[in-house]
Amino acid sequence: MPETADSVPTVASGVGPTGAAAEVLELGRSVRLKLGATLVALVGSFLASVILSRALGREDYGLLVLVYSVAGLALVLSDFGAKSTLIRYLPARRPDAESSGSAAELAASALLIQLAGAALCALVILGTANLLADRFFRVPALSWPLAIGALYFVGIALRDFVAQLYQSLQDWKREALVGVVFTGSQLLVLGLWVTFADLTVTAALIITGGCAFGSAVLGLGLVRHWTWRRAGALLRVRTVSEHAALVWRFGLPLKAVALSFYALSWADKLMLGWWRQPGEVATYYLAGLFIGAMMTVVNVLTLVLTPYVSKI
């Protein structure tokens, strides 16, 4: 029987699209939400960099950039491939009556591996702070910021893990929420600090690392109950060992890709720190950040607006 106007499901009738159409609409909403969250994060990062560079001055901001470059390398190595393993295997273990246990165990094991890796890398940064400052960068004043940078790194590492966890769960709303909380709290605290007190490199690292740690704790608390309901799996050595072997086989080899991205985005600052003074590194970093922000805004607007322009 041919369909009539009364038999076709419409939004007004309270019957929404189903099947492939519903999946396409959900994908579109996810893409818009992800793009919006990414744009907010980039704008927030740019504004934070402007505040920090103006408040710290050229030389001190250069010290901060050098700490960022060391922490960035540690961030790449600290999870041993656990985040890549989550993104690959967790979507296939989405929670249901049969698989919630294995999904929870994989997430909990990955968190344990990340915590262990973050602690190890933080100890390495702390133990080599004087050596890096005196021998590699030849800037003795960098020693104490690098030591504080170990704490900053822990917060950033956990915040990055939570973001990857939500991406694995395809929970874009909570990922966006955690990102906005981090960006907003960082800008708020930095703004208040520079208004009422003098900002130092140490204070900047503590503020950023503390906001990152706080957003990570919030993110872990917002993860659906099924994930941590089986957190007792952490106590089963055999389960963690099996997941660690999976990370070793799949995630660890992918560190080569992550290191290549680090080489493209941060290795140049690390090398400049060897040859140039911190102030020159700061100038180079800010110039690249400004250009990157403009390119990202153009790319995001192009990607979002192109479908609408095509309809004209």
Side-chain angles (χ1 to χ4, degrees), residues 29-297:
R29 284 192 292 267
S30 298
V31 170
R32 289 194 298 271
L33 185 59
K34 179 63 177 176
L35 287 174
T38 301
L39 186 59
V40 169
L42 288 171
V43 172
S45 176
F46 180 75
L47 291 177
S49 298
V50 172
I51 294 173
L52 288 169
S53 61
R54 293 296 298 270
L56 292 175
R58 190 164 173 259
E59 291 297 321
D60 281 352
Y61 188 67
L63 297 179
L64 189 65
V65 173
L66 293 178
V67 175
Y68 286 168
S69 65
V70 174
L73 179 59
L75 181 64
V76 171
L77 301 174
S78 64
D79 71 312
F80 304 112
K83 290 179 291 194
S84 299
T85 305
L86 275 182
I87 292 177
R88 168 61 180 84
Y89 290 101
L90 197 60
R93 305 182 183 189
R94 293 296 298 276
D96 54 46
E98 289 77 26
S99 66
S100 61
S102 60
E105 290 168 358
L106 178 59
S109 296
L111 176 59
L112 182 62
I113 294 171
Q114 174 66 85
L115 290 173
L120 177 62
C121 289
L123 289 175
V124 171
I125 294 174
L126 188 62
T128 60
N130 290 331
L131 180 64
L132 289 173
D134 295 337
R135 299 297 180 86
F136 184 82
F137 295 111
R138 297 185 293 276
V139 181
L142 184 61
S143 178
W144 180 244
L146 275 175
I148 298 300
L151 300 177
Y152 155 84
F153 156 74
V154 171
I156 293 296
L158 293 180
R159 186 249 179 277
D160 187 64
F161 175 85
V162 169
Q164 297 287 340
L165 176 61
Y166 278 126
Q167 290 177 24
S168 304
L169 295 172
Q170 300 170 15
D171 192 340
W172 310 112
K173 290 182 180 180
R174 285 184 172 86
E175 185 206 1
L177 174 62
V178 173
V180 169
V181 168
F182 167 63
T183 302
S185 61
Q186 182 192 24
L187 290 175
L188 177 62
V189 177
L190 283 175
L192 292 174
W193 194 289
V194 299
T195 301
F196 298 104
D198 293 330
L199 186 68
T200 63
V201 177
T202 299
L205 289 169
I206 292 175
I207 290 171
T208 304
C211 291
F213 183 81
S215 64
V217 172
L218 172 65
L220 291 175
L222 290 176
V223 173
R224 294 170 181 171
H225 69 282
W226 64 266
T227 304
W228 310 130
R229 187 171 56 191
R230 293 291 300 276
L234 289 173
L235 301 178
R236 296 211 294 267
V237 177
R238 180 178 178 181
T239 301
V240 178
S241 299
E242 291 174 353
H243 292 144
L246 180 63
V247 170
W248 179 269
R249 293 192 307 269
F250 177 82
L252 191 60
L254 291 179
K255 288 288 97 178
V257 178
L259 285 171
S260 68
F261 278 108
Y262 173 83
L264 290 172
S265 57
W266 280 104
D268 50 349
K269 289 85 173 174
L270 204 62
M271 291 185 292
L272 280 174
W274 169 269
W275 295 106
R276 300 293 183 182
Q277 293 300 311
E280 296 176 280
V281 178
T283 303
Y284 174 84
Y285 174 75
L286 283 174
L289 188 66
F290 181 71
I291 295 173
M294 290 192 299
M295 292 178 61
T296 300
V297 171

